[in-house]
Amino acid sequence: MEIIYNVSLMQRKADEWRSAGKKIGFVPTMGFFHEGHLELMRVARKNADVVVASIFVNPIQFGPSEDYNRYPKDIERDKKKAQDVGVDILFIPSVEEMYPDGFQTKVHVEKLTKHLCGLFRPGHFDGVTTVVTKLFNIVKPHVAVFGEKDYQQLLVIKRMVKDLNMDVHIIGVPTVREADGLAMSSRNTYLSPEERKSALCLKKSIDMARDMVKKGESNASIIKKKVEELITSYPFTKIQYISICDPDTLEEISQINDKALIAMAVFVGNARLIDNAILEKVEKGDRI
Ligand code: PAF
């Protein structure tokens, strides 16, 4: 596996691969790899001839009171994990390399960013779409892989790619979970052992909501109230939002007809955790 720190070197390597007819798969990350990231890399491997993963903790997608300065890092461990899953190039640019003096351009997706996390993290999605656009222009991938845990991010990126005619195919990969159901996240390392137990409330409340819908409940307020009660019954929790919304537009809905998205952000201690699932009256596994 090759490590590249430099934008123009990465661009040259991508050009070489493209000229040789190789299909480039790309996994953008902020590092501190867990199974969720490795799964994205495996999917990229299956869908491309060569795989690039990037590690870049993107300052412009963090708010002033967020965790940019304490975001977990372990580059040596990441290098080993990426190598083990067959990544060809690990691209690790510095902040100066990505945002040199004079940088002043942003990419903005209009409506989808106004809901869910967008309501509480102003500017966050502009930071994401801007850095992902830059990374696409640097790595020149044919295919890029993102996790469904960041459901809104995935939708925003798909929209941006479509709207700006970017020639890259976006693949979404289901959330990878710990054995007890907690969605894998680099931010789980912020949890104390007691908070780690409480963090299970996200998945438990999602499972309860799915069950309610399967049993015929279609009133979103009733479901949200039950979810809220369950989450707040766990210590160290503070709900930022619980949303039941249209899975395509992310607009809140009051009645679940066919299917809906349940998405939530909950602080457990200092860790802001997110999770989501599709609520369906008849789930895929139930269909004959
Ligand atoms: O999901 C992430 O880790 C980040 O938002 C991304 C896509 C790498 C952009 O910084």
PDB file of all heavy atoms in Angstrom, residues 28-30 56 58 61 128 131-132 146 150 153 157, ligand 1:
ATOM      1  N   PRO A  28     -13.832   7.956   1.268  1.00  0.00           N
ATOM      2  CA  PRO A  28     -13.366   9.107   2.055  1.00  0.00           C
ATOM      3  C   PRO A  28     -13.674   8.892   3.537  1.00  0.00           C
ATOM      4  O   PRO A  28     -14.780   8.464   3.867  1.00  0.00           O
ATOM      5  CB  PRO A  28     -14.195  10.283   1.507  1.00  0.00           C
ATOM      6  CG  PRO A  28     -15.336   9.687   0.774  1.00  0.00           C
ATOM      7  CD  PRO A  28     -15.095   8.221   0.569  1.00  0.00           C
ATOM      8  N   THR A  29     -12.715   9.160   4.404  1.00  0.00           N
ATOM      9  CA  THR A  29     -12.943   8.972   5.848  1.00  0.00           C
ATOM     10  C   THR A  29     -12.236  10.081   6.635  1.00  0.00           C
ATOM     11  O   THR A  29     -11.416  10.824   6.088  1.00  0.00           O
ATOM     12  CB  THR A  29     -12.366   7.625   6.367  1.00  0.00           C
ATOM     13  OG1 THR A  29     -10.959   7.792   6.622  1.00  0.00           O
ATOM     14  CG2 THR A  29     -12.574   6.475   5.401  1.00  0.00           C
ATOM     15  N   MET A  30     -12.547  10.105   7.937  1.00  0.00           N
ATOM     16  CA  MET A  30     -11.803  10.985   8.835  1.00  0.00           C
ATOM     17  C   MET A  30     -10.885  10.150   9.734  1.00  0.00           C
ATOM     18  O   MET A  30     -10.382  10.635  10.746  1.00  0.00           O
ATOM     19  CB  MET A  30     -12.773  11.831   9.660  1.00  0.00           C
ATOM     20  CG  MET A  30     -13.644  12.723   8.756  1.00  0.00           C
ATOM     21  SD  MET A  30     -14.272  14.199   9.530  1.00  0.00           S
ATOM     22  CE  MET A  30     -15.304  13.500  10.783  1.00  0.00           C
ATOM     23  N   PHE A  56      -8.832  12.409   6.364  1.00  0.00           N
ATOM     24  CA  PHE A  56      -8.722  13.866   6.487  1.00  0.00           C
ATOM     25  C   PHE A  56      -9.804  14.346   7.440  1.00  0.00           C
ATOM     26  O   PHE A  56     -11.000  14.238   7.147  1.00  0.00           O
ATOM     27  CB  PHE A  56      -8.882  14.547   5.117  1.00  0.00           C
ATOM     28  CG  PHE A  56      -8.757  16.048   5.180  1.00  0.00           C
ATOM     29  CD1 PHE A  56      -7.560  16.638   5.602  1.00  0.00           C
ATOM     30  CD2 PHE A  56      -9.828  16.875   4.856  1.00  0.00           C
ATOM     31  CE1 PHE A  56      -7.436  18.025   5.681  1.00  0.00           C
ATOM     32  CE2 PHE A  56      -9.716  18.261   4.928  1.00  0.00           C
ATOM     33  CZ  PHE A  56      -8.512  18.836   5.345  1.00  0.00           C
ATOM     34  N   ASN A  58     -11.762  17.012   8.492  1.00  0.00           N
ATOM     35  CA  ASN A  58     -12.053  18.212   7.707  1.00  0.00           C
ATOM     36  C   ASN A  58     -12.518  19.365   8.602  1.00  0.00           C
ATOM     37  O   ASN A  58     -13.667  19.372   9.051  1.00  0.00           O
ATOM     38  CB  ASN A  58     -13.154  17.824   6.697  1.00  0.00           C
ATOM     39  CG  ASN A  58     -13.640  18.992   5.891  1.00  0.00           C
ATOM     40  OD1 ASN A  58     -12.871  19.909   5.603  1.00  0.00           O
ATOM     41  ND2 ASN A  58     -14.924  18.956   5.532  1.00  0.00           N
ATOM     42  N   GLN A  61     -16.124  21.194   8.421  1.00  0.00           N
ATOM     43  CA  GLN A  61     -17.427  20.578   8.681  1.00  0.00           C
ATOM     44  C   GLN A  61     -17.728  20.488  10.181  1.00  0.00           C
ATOM     45  O   GLN A  61     -18.724  19.911  10.583  1.00  0.00           O
ATOM     46  CB  GLN A  61     -17.553  19.212   7.999  1.00  0.00           C
ATOM     47  CG  GLN A  61     -16.713  18.089   8.593  1.00  0.00           C
ATOM     48  CD  GLN A  61     -16.823  16.804   7.799  1.00  0.00           C
ATOM     49  OE1 GLN A  61     -16.287  16.689   6.699  1.00  0.00           O
ATOM     50  NE2 GLN A  61     -17.518  15.813   8.340  1.00  0.00           N
ATOM     51  N   VAL A 128     -19.009  19.292   4.307  1.00  0.00           N
ATOM     52  CA  VAL A 128     -18.908  17.922   3.767  1.00  0.00           C
ATOM     53  C   VAL A 128     -18.911  17.955   2.240  1.00  0.00           C
ATOM     54  O   VAL A 128     -18.051  17.342   1.590  1.00  0.00           O
ATOM     55  CB  VAL A 128     -20.069  17.039   4.303  1.00  0.00           C
ATOM     56  CG1 VAL A 128     -20.108  15.699   3.569  1.00  0.00           C
ATOM     57  CG2 VAL A 128     -19.945  16.815   5.806  1.00  0.00           C
ATOM     58  N   VAL A 131     -15.624  19.399   0.824  1.00  0.00           N
ATOM     59  CA  VAL A 131     -14.434  18.532   0.885  1.00  0.00           C
ATOM     60  C   VAL A 131     -14.604  17.304  -0.009  1.00  0.00           C
ATOM     61  O   VAL A 131     -13.644  16.850  -0.647  1.00  0.00           O
ATOM     62  CB  VAL A 131     -14.087  18.143   2.347  1.00  0.00           C
ATOM     63  CG1 VAL A 131     -14.935  16.993   2.875  1.00  0.00           C
ATOM     64  CG2 VAL A 131     -12.617  17.763   2.450  1.00  0.00           C
ATOM     65  N   VAL A 132     -15.837  16.769  -0.091  1.00  0.00           N
ATOM     66  CA  VAL A 132     -16.041  15.580  -0.925  1.00  0.00           C
ATOM     67  C   VAL A 132     -15.841  15.952  -2.407  1.00  0.00           C
ATOM     68  O   VAL A 132     -15.241  15.198  -3.170  1.00  0.00           O
ATOM     69  CB  VAL A 132     -17.419  14.923  -0.643  1.00  0.00           C
ATOM     70  CG1 VAL A 132     -17.747  13.849  -1.669  1.00  0.00           C
ATOM     71  CG2 VAL A 132     -17.432  14.310   0.758  1.00  0.00           C
ATOM     72  N   PHE A 146     -20.014   5.219   0.758  1.00  0.00           N
ATOM     73  CA  PHE A 146     -20.357   5.936   1.997  1.00  0.00           C
ATOM     74  C   PHE A 146     -21.263   5.065   2.859  1.00  0.00           C
ATOM     75  O   PHE A 146     -22.018   4.233   2.335  1.00  0.00           O
ATOM     76  CB  PHE A 146     -21.102   7.237   1.664  1.00  0.00           C
ATOM     77  CG  PHE A 146     -20.269   8.253   0.953  1.00  0.00           C
ATOM     78  CD1 PHE A 146     -20.106   8.190  -0.429  1.00  0.00           C
ATOM     79  CD2 PHE A 146     -19.625   9.268   1.648  1.00  0.00           C
ATOM     80  CE1 PHE A 146     -19.331   9.120  -1.108  1.00  0.00           C
ATOM     81  CE2 PHE A 146     -18.841  10.212   0.978  1.00  0.00           C
ATOM     82  CZ  PHE A 146     -18.696  10.136  -0.403  1.00  0.00           C
ATOM     83  N   ASP A 150     -24.618   7.582   8.270  1.00  0.00           N
ATOM     84  CA  ASP A 150     -24.773   9.009   7.991  1.00  0.00           C
ATOM     85  C   ASP A 150     -25.764   9.133   6.824  1.00  0.00           C
ATOM     86  O   ASP A 150     -25.398   9.541   5.718  1.00  0.00           O
ATOM     87  CB  ASP A 150     -23.423   9.616   7.631  1.00  0.00           C
ATOM     88  CG  ASP A 150     -22.454   9.549   8.791  1.00  0.00           C
ATOM     89  OD1 ASP A 150     -22.688  10.237   9.792  1.00  0.00           O
ATOM     90  OD2 ASP A 150     -21.481   8.780   8.709  1.00  0.00           O
ATOM     91  N   GLN A 153     -26.061  12.514   5.115  1.00  0.00           N
ATOM     92  CA  GLN A 153     -24.849  12.789   4.329  1.00  0.00           C
ATOM     93  C   GLN A 153     -24.886  12.041   2.991  1.00  0.00           C
ATOM     94  O   GLN A 153     -24.581  12.605   1.938  1.00  0.00           O
ATOM     95  CB  GLN A 153     -23.621  12.372   5.143  1.00  0.00           C
ATOM     96  CG  GLN A 153     -22.328  12.392   4.358  1.00  0.00           C
ATOM     97  CD  GLN A 153     -21.114  12.155   5.231  1.00  0.00           C
ATOM     98  OE1 GLN A 153     -20.676  13.052   5.930  1.00  0.00           O
ATOM     99  NE2 GLN A 153     -20.541  10.963   5.188  1.00  0.00           N
ATOM    100  N   ILE A 157     -24.938  13.814  -0.632  1.00  0.00           N
ATOM    101  CA  ILE A 157     -23.875  13.569  -1.618  1.00  0.00           C
ATOM    102  C   ILE A 157     -24.461  13.033  -2.923  1.00  0.00           C
ATOM    103  O   ILE A 157     -24.071  13.459  -4.013  1.00  0.00           O
ATOM    104  CB  ILE A 157     -22.790  12.651  -1.027  1.00  0.00           C
ATOM    105  CG1 ILE A 157     -21.968  13.488  -0.045  1.00  0.00           C
ATOM    106  CG2 ILE A 157     -21.886  12.055  -2.106  1.00  0.00           C
ATOM    107  CD1 ILE A 157     -21.098  12.731   0.870  1.00  0.00           C
TER     108      ILE A 157
HETATM  109  O1  PAF B   1     -18.350  10.673   6.932  1.00  0.00           O
HETATM  110  C1  PAF B   1     -17.217  11.199   7.099  1.00  0.00           C
HETATM  111  O2  PAF B   1     -16.301  10.614   7.692  1.00  0.00           O
HETATM  112  C2  PAF B   1     -16.963  12.604   6.572  1.00  0.00           C
HETATM  113  O3  PAF B   1     -18.087  13.395   6.678  1.00  0.00           O
HETATM  114  C3  PAF B   1     -16.412  12.622   5.136  1.00  0.00           C
HETATM  115  C4  PAF B   1     -17.397  12.039   4.151  1.00  0.00           C
HETATM  116  C5  PAF B   1     -15.106  11.833   5.072  1.00  0.00           C
HETATM  117  C6  PAF B   1     -16.116  14.053   4.708  1.00  0.00           C
HETATM  118  O4  PAF B   1     -15.197  14.664   5.544  1.00  0.00           O
END
